């Protein structure tokens, strides 16, 4: 009631270090109905890797001890002949997401 206050200063560190991700697609060209292999070499602190194709999100599988994340994607039969964009996101243990 008389306005007495107390404070204790605290500090924290913001980790803005992105994971290192190096993606590969094999083959680089495919027809509808064919499967492409997506491989991502990632830094050891990477917690997850996700591929985004259109509105679809695909979690890659981690191969323990190698730092390699993989998945397969089958091109939908009704896909148009065009260049399609694949977005790859890596997340490190601090939950920083990088594209």
């Amino acid at each position: 009631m008389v306005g007495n206050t107390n404070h204790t200063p605290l500090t924290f560190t913001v980790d803005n270090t992105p994971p290192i991700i190096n993606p590969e697609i094999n083959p680089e060209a495919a027809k509808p109905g064919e499967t492409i292999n997506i491989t991502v070499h990632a830094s050891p602190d990477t917690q997850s890797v996700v591929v985004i194709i259109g509105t679809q999100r695909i979690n890659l599988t981690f191969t323990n001890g190698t730092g390699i994340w993989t998945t397969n994607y089958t091109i939908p039969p009704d896909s148009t002949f065009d260049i399609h964009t694949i977005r790859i996101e890596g997340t490190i243990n601090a939950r920083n997401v990088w594209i």
Side-chain angles (χ1 to χ4, degrees):
M1 297 286 284
V2 295
N4 295 337
T5 62
N6 188 4
H7 71 278
T8 302
L10 300 173
T11 62
F12 63 94
T13 301
V14 176
D15 180 2
N16 287 329
T17 307
I20 298 169
I21 55 174
N22 295 308
E24 298 173 8
I25 298 173
N26 188 20
E28 291 182 12
K31 296 177 183 175
E34 294 182 343
T35 299
I36 59 173
N37 302 310
I38 302 169
T39 302
V40 176
H41 299 265
S43 55
D45 59 349
T46 303
Q47 180 180 0
S48 67
V49 178
V50 175
V51 171
I52 302 167
I53 303 171
T55 59
Q56 187 176 8
R57 294 178 64 88
I58 303 166
N59 293 311
L60 278 71
T61 302
F62 179 66
T63 304
N64 194 19
T66 64
I68 298 174
W69 299 76
T70 59
T71 194
N72 297 323
Y73 177 74
T74 302
I75 310 297
D78 60 348
S79 290
T80 57
F81 178 77
D82 200 355
I83 295 174
H84 294 264
T85 301
I86 295 176
R87 179 176 161 162
I88 299 175
E89 294 181 353
T91 303
I92 62 172
N93 291 334
R95 303 236 181 248
N96 297 340
V97 176
W98 301 92
I99 304 165

